[in-house]
Amino acid sequence: QVQLVESGGGSVQNGGSLRLTCTASMYSYGMMAWFRQPPGKEREVVASISADGVETNYADSVKGRFTISRDTMKRTLYLQMDDLKPEDTAMYYCAIAYGGRWSDYYAYRYWGQGTQVTVSS
């Protein structure tokens, strides 16, 4: 079983930046993604990256502001978040899938515990 641990969340002002990190307990060749869950709302996909790191996908709300990347040798997933807005406030989760559509919540088998991101106006 793969364990995922997120870090890097915090509180920033509108327009600020944060870099989230997700470290896996073991090497696992799967598609990885960041999801987020704003207060009182459902969890939504933010971005995904293929197992080989070649293909990336982004939610429309974060395109041009967020960048997903991975370092397979370090078993680490990253999310660089720039130009943060108050609507980006959420708990952010990383997850790993071994098939399925990048935006399908149910495709992801393992999840981290989340890291909180708060953006003030």
Side-chain angles (χ1 to χ4, degrees), residues 75-97:
R75 297 176 276 111
T76 303
L77 177 73
Y78 304 100
L79 185 68
Q80 177 65 41
M81 304 186 296
D82 297 317
D83 189 23
L84 282 160
K85 306 175 186 299
E87 51 263 41
D88 295 317
T89 295
M91 184 71 78
Y92 283 71
Y93 301 88
C94 67
I96 188 166

Side-chain angles (χ1 to χ4, degrees), residues 10-106:
S11 296
V12 297
Q13 292 190 332
N14 190 24
S17 297
L18 284 173
R19 189 193 197 200
L20 304 184
T21 298
C22 170
T23 302
S25 59
M26 65 182 69
Y27 174 79
S28 185
Y29 194 73
M31 175 175 61
M32 297 192 75
W34 289 97
F35 283 74
R36 67 186 181 186
Q37 187 164 15
K41 296 185 179 181
E42 294 185 352
R43 196 171 299 191
E44 61 185 16
V45 68
V46 174
S48 72
I49 187 166
S50 59
D52 60 6
V54 172
E55 181 179 348
T56 58
N57 294 284
Y58 295 91
D60 288 343
S61 59
V62 306
K63 280 181 181 177
R65 300 188 298 121
F66 291 10
T67 304
I68 189 171
S69 61
R70 68 190 295 172
D71 185 330
T72 302
M73 294 300 293
K74 294 183 179 179
R75 297 176 276 111
T76 303
L77 177 73
Y78 304 100
L79 185 68
Q80 177 65 41
M81 304 186 296
D82 297 317
D83 189 23
L84 282 160
K85 306 175 186 299
E87 51 263 41
D88 295 317
T89 295
M91 184 71 78
Y92 283 71
Y93 301 88
C94 67
I96 188 166
Y98 303 104
R101 185 174 172 78
W102 73 279
S103 57
D104 184 359
Y105 171 91
Y106 296 101

Side-chain angles (χ1 to χ4, degrees), residues 100-118:
R101 185 174 172 78
W102 73 279
S103 57
D104 184 359
Y105 171 91
Y106 296 101
Y108 292 86
R109 182 179 300 182
Y110 300 112
W111 293 81
Q113 294 299 307
T115 185
Q116 178 67 39
V117 171
T118 302

